[in-house]
Amino acid sequence: MSTSYGLPLFLIDNTGNISSSYFEDIYGRIRLDLRQQYDASGRRFLTAISTTNPESHTPLTTNLYLDFGSTPQSSEDSWFLIDSTGKSHRVTNYLRTFKGGSIESSHFDRRFTASDGTHCTWRYRKENQSDPGFTLVNDQQYLIAHYLEPSATCSFAESRKHRISAMLDNLAPERIPEGGMLMINDGWEHIADEILAGLTILRRLVQRSQK
């Protein structure tokens, strides 16, 4: 995906489910699918991440797979990302932990290198912190993507006090998503599948910590 659209992608998370959902751009430019399917052996679930362009009616293309282990209790050390070439990457090597320099730094913050060589940092902030949700920036602190969690979208849209809130200014009130919203800034569409992969991993980590 090398197309530049001139404005961010505003992808509605239609279910908010971290295992099965689809993210549709409000302008119909792209769709990302997150679904579970069996591996080749038929005994193990994988989470598949696929992309399609509704405008050109291109077929659904699976780009990445996430393997979260054989049981729901499997540790992060046993999770893998499988890229489009079939190569497996241990999640703990793909998304690396680091010590943050901010007082709001979270132990869920992670760094990774995208397929285009960009060094990216994921940050997670709770609803009572500034810029709540999951934020992805590059080394220059340029905003690449931001995900508003299902519980935060409506209150976030009402406040209009955060620097990310412009992403919802383009939505009519009836389109404010209940399942969540992923914004990807223009120029980063080509790594949309990697953005969703990292986001899915981090959301799963946060969810497990809350149990």
Side-chain angles (χ1 to χ4, degrees):
M1 293 181 299
S2 58
T3 304
S4 178
Y5 296 107
L7 75 162
L9 294 171
F10 300 99
L11 299 155
I12 294 177
D13 180 356
N14 280 272
T15 72
N17 189 300
I18 63 172
S19 299
S20 178
S21 190
Y22 56 100
F23 296 71
E24 291 182 303
D25 175 58
I26 63 173
Y27 298 114
R29 296 167 293 176
I30 193 175
R31 168 173 165 156
L32 300 176
D33 278 71
L34 187 68
R35 68 190 191 281
Q36 285 195 322
Q37 66 181 60
Y38 283 110
D39 65 3
S41 70
R43 297 189 299 270
R44 191 177 184 124
F45 267 125
L46 299 177
T47 300
I49 295 176
S50 308
T51 59
T52 187
N53 184 335
E55 291 181 331
S56 63
H57 305 288
T58 54
L60 200 67
T61 302
T62 300
N63 304 312
L64 299 170
Y65 293 95
L66 297 173
D67 182 348
F68 289 113
S70 56
T71 70
Q73 293 75 36
S74 296
S75 69
E76 185 183 357
D77 290 336
S78 64
W79 296 356
F80 288 88
L81 178 143
I82 305 167
D83 64 25
S84 58
T85 68
K87 184 178 180 180
S88 294
H89 307 266
R90 193 178 294 275
V91 162
T92 49
N93 293 332
Y94 177 72
L95 283 179
R96 305 178 301 278
T97 59
F98 69 99
K99 283 190 175 182
S102 167
I103 193 171
E104 290 190 332
S105 294
S106 161
H107 66 275
F108 297 113
D109 293 355
R110 297 288 191 277
R111 285 179 176 161
F112 78 101
T113 302
S115 58
D116 66 355
T118 302
H119 298 292
C120 306
T121 300
W122 275 109
R123 295 193 177 98
Y124 172 67
R125 301 294 178 264
K126 297 179 181 179
E127 287 187 51
N128 60 353
Q129 296 177 302
S130 60
D131 298 335
F134 297 84
T135 302
L136 183 66
V137 298
N138 64 9
D139 277 351
Q140 289 73 44
Q141 300 304 302
Y142 180 85
L143 179 65
I144 297 175
H146 187 81
Y147 178 77
L148 292 173
E149 297 177 280
S151 60
T153 48
C154 291
S155 60
F156 192 86
E158 292 165 1
S159 71
R160 308 290 186 186
K161 293 179 181 178
H162 303 283
R163 66 181 175 87
I164 315 295
S165 62
M167 66 183 280
L168 291 177
D169 288 338
N170 291 271
L171 287 177
E174 64 272 14
R175 296 298 305 279
I176 298 298
E178 294 182 0
M181 164 72 80
L182 173 62
M183 183 277 290
I184 300 177
N185 255 330
D186 185 46
W188 302 97
E189 299 85 358
H190 61 290
I191 60 168
D193 51 355
E194 298 173 62
I195 291 172
L196 182 55
L199 174 64
T200 301
I201 293 167
L202 291 178
R203 289 181 68 200
R204 184 173 286 263
L205 288 172
V206 171
Q207 187 182 79
R208 285 180 54 156
S209 75
Q210 296 170 342
K211 291 182 178 180

